[in-house]
Amino acid sequence: MHARSLPSQTARLFPRLWLLVATTAALGAVARLCLWVAYAGAERGNELLWPALLQGLRYDLVAGAAAALLVGLLMAPLWLIGWRGRAVRWAQWMLVGVLLSFVLLSVCEHFYYAFYKTRFDPIVFGMFEDDTGAILETVWQDYPVIPGLFGLGVAALVLHWSVPRAGHWLGARWPKAGGNWGRISLLVVQCVLLVLLARGSVGTFPLVRRDVTVSADPFVNALVLNAPLTLYRAARIRAKETDIGADPLVGVRRLGFASLEEAARVAGLPSGEPEQVRAALFPVAPGQPRALAQSPHVVMGLLESFGQDLLFSDGPGNDLLGRLRAELAYGHRFDNFISGQNGTHPQLENLLLGSPITPLTGGRNARLSFDTSAALPFKRAGYRTVFLYGGGSDWREIGTAFTRQGFDRVYDARDIRARFADAHGTDWGLYDAWLFRFAEDLLVQADAKGERLFLVLLTTTNHPPFELDTPRRNLPLDPAALGPRALDDKAELRSMLATYQYQADEFGGFVQTLRQGPLGERTIIAAAGDHNLRTHYRYDLPAEQPDVDRVFAWLRVPDAYAPAGAGPDTRAFAGHADLIPTLVSLAVPGQRYFATGRNLWQAPGDGGQALAQFDRMYTAEGMLMPLHAPLLHAWHSPRQVRPEGTVPDAAATVSARRAAAGVALRDWYIRDQVLRVRK
């Protein structure tokens, strides 16, 4: 090895590494501009964009410098053994691969945002735990896969052609220093600069998560990170949520409490002793226990993608309710019901286990039993407990997980087909008509045996790819009724409206049959959408976040089981966390349950409150977010909040802190339960 050639040969590699840094920064800026153009809305001025671009540049430089350091380290062995020309060539191939990956991730996240209304989050990893074939089918039908692949191919060719030439051009003009010490000094300076850029700061601390806050507008803050970093952040969040770890206080501290005692005090508990907290988390439903024969059947329906915002377009020419319309008058429809989570499986864990931690029941946790389960109060009262799903019970291991949560049986598509040979459906599950027929049979059979049934059912039809090749009632649909912010593809929009309408109509037929039959006066029915439909509107976030978070919710209680009084306040804010406390209180008084929310039959004194994704809190004053350090987005109209957040008053701050403390205590309890079982 020749000492004289060592620094000069290395200098040929560094222009390529700096090219990677610069190109990453350019691609990051383009990706942010595309998100801005597609989702910012006309009301946001361009002056809000510049802080996101400038702060985003810092994160792009972090990603680019980290990638450049990695490439440099990988090529160092080749350089040390004298293969310097090969090191440069291989580095250029790696540059093309890294930049192409950046482009691919940015494009995927662009469409991910269109669907989930958020940058990459832990749900993206759950997609690989779903039916992979069904997901690929949905992506193929709903997204521009062929143009995207063509564009990716063009990008690959452009990068393959331009990176070597740009690297050669830069190498010929790169600063040179005389003598070995000068060249070594130049090498060291460049290495230090790359390290500092990868760190994101020359001060004491590197870039941290709070550095994404450049505006009072959450949408602007969401633009700051680039796709690789949002994916990395999602992976870290998922690892923390899935891996309970060894410290049950992780969630308590994440929400801003120094200890369990502090969280308990803020939640209004007299003591922070673990046994006292455990006791407080399991109140007893008031009232005298009933004999099983005098108890009602209880049906809890989770309706796929049944968001509330589409129902504002419901009318004679755009009938989105079908038979459900007439049934609504026999129960209580909630105007401000907030979806607790943004995905079906997280919602199941929120609803049935009261868990702020999700995914909780995957992997080895699928074989754990949680005493927070919604089925247990009913099982202790003598009920038969059943979970019914229109898809396969291997999805997210629900067949394994929920049979350990107090459910006597998990039925799925195979059981429905065994009873109804003609049952058919989509890649995601059987059409809802078959699921509701099976549910009706379960109720009739249980009643004939003198049993009481607690039945949780989950529909599947109102889900991409929005197929409906099954008999259905001919009801009017009009995509134009959704107005100018609706999806441009009217054919796709009509398909979405059709499955939405079909689900509502079939659910309406199910409750109509029960009401008109002998089971009507001894069956309590609660139903709610699991989350918003997502892709039918272009949302101006955060102003229109309430439209994203509100879902349909309805409760029917026969007179024999309805408490005295005026009934629930249907205009107050409520959410999924309130459903099980309500059903337990109505059906099985005297039973213990996990305290996730309030009894909806009891009117709140403050207009109610509800949490979305344990991060956004809705109140009569507005939307408070994030929960651990909230700003108030006051109501601008019944469906919109102001995009700018302001410091909330003392009462709102106390309310948010109390809600955060409740979440922290439940998080602690779930983690502690897992750790106790493992020990």
Side-chain angles (χ1 to χ4, degrees):
M1 184 178 296
H2 301 288
R4 289 184 178 275
S5 64
L6 188 147
S8 60
Q9 291 293 338
T10 306
R12 295 174 56 194
L13 180 60
F14 271 89
R16 277 77 177 176
L17 300 183
W18 287 106
L19 176 64
L20 174 59
V21 175
T23 310
T24 300
L27 291 175
V30 170
R32 283 184 197 87
L33 287 171
C34 289
L35 285 169
W36 176 269
V37 170
Y39 308 116
E43 295 183 359
R44 282 188 177 88
N46 288 336
E47 68 278 1
L48 295 175
L49 174 62
W50 305 121
L53 288 177
L54 291 174
Q55 187 71 344
L57 175 62
R58 295 182 65 191
Y59 282 98
D60 295 338
L61 293 174
V62 166
L69 284 172
L70 179 60
V71 171
L73 288 173
L74 290 174
M75 294 302 102
L78 296 179
W79 165 66
L80 288 172
I81 64 174
W83 292 358
R84 295 151 196 158
R86 185 172 299 178
V88 170
R89 289 194 300 273
W90 287 14
Q92 289 179 163
W93 280 107
M94 293 181 70
L95 262 63
V96 172
V98 169
L99 294 173
L100 203 59
S101 298
F102 194 104
V103 172
L104 179 60
L105 283 175
S106 299
V107 171
C108 289
E109 189 180 44
H110 188 93
F111 290 105
Y112 186 88
Y113 191 96
F115 190 76
Y116 286 103
K117 308 302 178 292
T118 183
R119 305 288 297 270
F120 283 143
D121 63 3
I123 292 177
V124 70
F125 299 102
M127 294 169 68
F128 299 104
E129 298 164 6
D130 284 324
D131 185 330
T132 305
I135 287 177
L136 292 176
E137 177 71 17
T138 299
V139 171
W140 179 262
Q141 292 191 15
D142 292 354
Y143 296 96
V145 177
I146 296 299
L149 291 175
F150 177 77
L152 195 64
V154 171
L157 291 174
V158 169
L159 290 171
H160 173 72
W161 181 87
S162 61
V163 165
R165 288 163 175 79
H168 178 76
W169 185 88
L170 280 174
R173 291 159 178 80
W174 205 248
K176 297 178 176 63
N180 277 346
W181 285 109
R183 288 191 289 270
I184 291 173
S185 298
L186 182 60
L187 183 152
V188 170
V189 167
Q190 292 182 92
C191 288
V192 170
L193 284 175
L194 283 176
V195 169
L196 291 176
L197 284 176
R199 197 168 180 271
S201 172
V202 296
T204 305
F205 299 105
L207 279 177
V208 292
R209 191 168 69 177
R210 66 173 177 269
D211 291 319
V212 303
T213 304
V214 296
S215 169
D217 187 335
F219 174 79
V220 176
N221 294 331
L223 292 178
V224 172
L225 292 180
N226 52 52
L229 290 180
T230 58
L231 188 63
Y232 171 72
R233 181 183 62 180
R236 291 197 61 184
I237 292 172
R238 185 176 189 270
K240 290 178 181 178
E241 292 173 341
T242 305
D243 182 6
I244 298 299
D247 182 5
L249 294 174
V250 169
V252 173
R253 286 192 285 268
R254 186 183 299 141
L255 284 163
F257 302 101
S259 64
L260 185 64
E261 290 77 9
E262 182 186 356
R265 184 177 66 254
V266 173
L269 303 187
S271 169
E273 290 296 319
E275 290 308 316
Q276 297 278 344
V277 174
R278 290 189 185 98
L281 287 173
F282 286 91
V284 174
Q288 292 298 316
R290 298 189 184 97
L292 186 62
Q294 278 74 54
S295 298
H297 300 288
V298 177
V299 177
M300 172 66 244
L302 198 59
L303 307 178
E304 175 66 51
S305 302
F306 204 33
Q308 172 80 352
D309 60 347
L310 269 179
L311 292 176
F312 291 110
S313 69
D314 174 65
N318 189 46
D319 185 351
L320 296 182
L321 290 172
R323 285 171 287 179
L324 181 56
R325 184 185 313 281
E327 296 305 310
L328 295 179
Y330 294 96
H332 304 274
R333 177 179 168 187
F334 294 88
D335 298 325
N336 291 303
F337 196 91
I338 300 300
S339 176
Q341 289 284 20
N342 195 29
T344 302
H345 189 257
Q347 195 64 269
L348 280 177
E349 294 186 331
N350 175 40
L351 175 66
L352 299 182
L353 298 179
S355 176
I357 306 163
T358 189
L360 176 67
T361 55
R364 59 175 174 165
N365 288 348
R367 288 157 180 80
L368 297 182
S369 297
F370 293 90
D371 62 5
T372 62
S373 172
L376 293 177
F378 297 93
K379 191 172 181 64
R380 288 193 292 263
Y383 276 64
R384 173 170 160 76
T385 55
V386 169
F387 184 90
L388 171 60
Y389 176 47
S393 61
D394 55 344
W395 175 72
R396 303 293 184 92
E397 300 184 82
I398 61 171
T400 300
F402 287 121
T403 52
R404 288 167 169 78
Q405 312 310 328
F407 285 97
D408 296 315
R409 181 70 187 270
V410 174
Y411 291 100
D412 69 356
R414 287 164 290 193
D415 300 292
I416 300 174
R417 283 196 186 98
R419 186 167 302 182
F420 304 111
D422 294 336
H424 62 293
T426 70
D427 290 335
W428 287 98
L430 299 180
Y431 286 119
D432 294 343
W434 301 105
L435 177 128
F436 289 127
R437 284 182 62 183
F438 192 89
E440 182 184 345
D441 278 6
L442 290 176
L443 287 163
V444 170
Q445 291 175 14
D447 197 70
K449 295 176 183 177
E451 297 175 337
R452 287 298 177 264
L453 192 65
F454 173 63
L455 171 61
V456 177
L457 56 85
L458 173 61
T459 67
T460 60
T461 301
N462 189 35
H463 189 290
F466 304 109
E467 295 176 354
L468 205 57
D469 56 344
T470 188
R472 62 185 178 96
R473 299 173 72 230
N474 185 22
L475 301 170
L477 284 176
D478 182 13
L482 274 63
R485 65 173 178 157
L487 184 74
D488 292 329
D489 187 339
K490 299 306 179 187
E492 179 69 8
L493 191 58
R494 181 174 288 275
S495 297
M496 293 179 188
L497 293 177
T499 56
Y500 187 99
Q501 177 196 73
Y502 171 82
Q503 175 179 247
D505 182 60
E506 291 297 339
F507 177 63
F510 169 67
V511 297
Q512 181 186 64
T513 300
L514 291 181
R515 179 180 59 80
Q516 294 177 345
L519 289 174
E521 292 309 307
R522 51 180 184 270
T523 303
I524 294 175
I525 303 174
D530 58 353
H531 52 71
N532 179 278
L533 187 60
R534 296 183 173 132
T535 55
H536 54 293
Y537 281 141
R538 291 180 288 269
Y539 293 98
D540 179 13
L541 299 180
E544 294 178 341
Q545 189 69 52
D547 264 3
V548 176
D549 290 335
R550 276 195 188 100
V551 292
F552 169 85
W554 181 74
L555 173 67
R556 181 180 183 272
V557 183
D559 292 340
Y561 305 103
D569 181 353
T570 58
R571 295 188 62 80
F573 283 95
H576 287 92
D578 303 319
L579 290 176
I580 297 304
T582 302
L583 294 176
V584 171
S585 298
L586 292 171
V588 286
Q591 290 296 326
R592 293 172 63 250
Y593 64 93
F594 193 46
T596 56
R598 64 181 177 90
N599 179 358
L600 292 174
W601 211 270
Q602 299 172 349
D606 58 357
Q609 63 183 44
L611 289 176
Q613 295 179 260
F614 300 99
D615 187 59
R616 298 183 292 278
M617 178 174 158
Y618 286 88
T619 70
E621 289 73 34
M623 179 180 72
L624 290 153
M625 65 175 284
L627 189 60
H628 68 279
L631 292 176
L632 175 66
H633 298 263
W635 290 108
H636 177 65
S637 70
R639 294 175 61 184
Q640 290 187 337
V641 294
R642 299 190 182 280
E644 306 83 11
T646 59
V647 177
D649 61 24
T653 300
V654 168
S655 182
R657 292 303 290 157
R658 187 181 299 118
V663 174
L665 296 180
R666 296 198 296 276
D667 184 288
W668 165 80
Y669 184 83
I670 294 288
R671 292 179 192 275
D672 185 65
Q673 191 176 14
V674 173
L675 293 175
R676 283 168 173 261
V677 170
R678 290 179 181 173
K679 288 179 181 178

